[in-house]
Amino acid sequence: MPQSLITGAYPATRLRRVRQHDWARRLVRETKPSPDDLVWGMIVHDGKEPRVSVKSMPGVDRLNVDEAAKAAVRARELGIPAIAIFPHINPARKNEGGDEAVNPEGLVPTVIQAMKAAAPEVGIACDVALDPFTSHGHDGLLSDDGYVLNDETVSVLTEQALIQARAGADIVAPSDMMDGRIGAIRTLLDEEGYDNVMILSYAAKYASAFYGPYRDAVGTASVLKGDKKTYQMDFGNTEEALREVAMDIQEGADMVMVKPGLPYLDIVQRVSSEFGVPTLVFQISGEYAQIKAAAAQGWLDEDKAIVETLSAFKRAGASGVITYFAERAAQLLGK
Ligand code: PBG
């Protein structure tokens, strides 16, 4: 048992003494999230409308290119280090192969360029995966019998990552859970002269019910056939998450991610303590929607829930948090 747990006995020791005043609580607080910990999860779209609200994520809008550029300026003002962008494209542009993912003039490269022109000091991270672009909503290419093909998908993903890097992305973030994609992306980026582009690997990503609102936001909910259990992880497993992380680090990941967040804090804690690499956590759409829905009913205080959940991520060892609450959180934490 650590020494700190066996020293001190009642009544000489009263742990409530340091909880008496706000100043004392602040003084002894171990974990303090700050705006520096935030990555702003942002949905962008290729339509004309500046903003289109996402029904299942109240307060989150799909932004067009101009609004996204303004949001980058807003992130800079608030001291938010980086933005992670997620695209919603016109369904007419989707096909079986997800070709729009590798269009150098597509939505994502256009948004990256606009954001970088408006606020070059803000880091831009892009999801590498095919789901927003395929007519079936899966993250990769399908075989005739509907299996998500690994190696064939990886070769498209490397091209997608290269296009993002060329457009100015600072971080490419493969969220697809194919085997071997980190090494393949690193190799291609290096060959093409993008050796300074970072890779944030969605290393331990679980097949989760909590992705529901995101699939509504990026327009895959209505098209997705089946589930993603043949590539995303089973939520019963921990050891497998550690293997995923170890392999991605070996293949060249600069940062790793655990996703979802709050129901998986045990994984965040183990990954951050066992590997000692920058470990990000994603407070995903379903976690966002839960807090929003309860707050809308008056059942909990939204601002307090934001700060508490961010503190929990930091306490578990996360270096940073991708969150749709980033704008509000930066205001709350920047005070
Ligand atoms: C898939 C992807 C997902 C999210 C981001 N990229 C999950 C999925 O559809 O399987 C989830 C983000 C969220 O729920 O906020 N490439």
Side-chain angles (χ1 to χ4, degrees), residues 124-300:
I124 302 296
C126 296
D127 228 42
V128 180
L130 303 185
D131 55 303
F133 310 100
T134 53
S135 46
H136 45 73
H138 279 288
D139 291 28
L141 305 174
L142 297 187
S143 69
D144 291 341
D145 55 2
Y147 184 71
V148 176
L149 296 161
N150 195 85
D151 299 7
E152 293 82 349
T153 298
V154 170
S155 74
V156 182
L157 297 177
T158 56
E159 219 183 307
Q160 183 184 19
L162 178 61
I163 281 163
Q164 294 171 350
R166 281 196 185 127
D170 301 286
I171 301 174
V172 295
S175 68
D176 55 288
M177 290 299 281
M178 299 301 114
D179 288 321
R181 85 280 206 222
I182 301 300
I185 290 171
R186 185 73 274 160
T187 301
L188 184 64
L189 290 181
D190 288 359
E191 279 168 9
E192 296 286 329
Y194 296 101
D195 47 299
N196 274 333
V197 170
M198 297 170 230
I199 300 180
L200 163 60
S201 165
Y202 285 68
K205 175 169 174 179
Y206 289 85
S208 173
F210 293 89
Y211 302 147
Y214 163 88
R215 292 180 188 166
D216 172 28
V218 301
T220 60
S222 55
V223 295
L224 182 64
K225 296 198 177 80
D227 57 42
K228 300 190 178 183
K229 288 181 183 170
T230 70
Y231 46 109
Q232 298 177 348
M233 279 186 51
D234 187 296
F235 49 68
N237 297 348
T238 300
E239 300 306 324
E240 188 185 357
L242 300 184
R243 290 185 78 192
E244 283 284 1
V245 170
M247 284 177 70
D248 286 358
I249 294 170
Q250 204 152 31
E251 290 176 32
D254 301 287
M255 300 176 263
V256 296
M257 197 198 299
V258 174
K259 176 184 179 188
L262 217 55
Y264 293 80
L265 284 188
D266 56 324
I267 310 296
V268 176
Q269 202 276 327
R270 273 197 78 184
V271 167
S272 65
S273 64
E274 297 203 17
F275 295 98
V277 299
T279 304
L280 274 70
V281 56
F282 201 146
Q283 181 172 45
I284 57 158
S285 59
E287 299 174 56
Y288 174 90
Q290 284 180 307
I291 292 175
K292 278 287 182 182
Q297 300 283 342
W299 292 340
L300 56 70

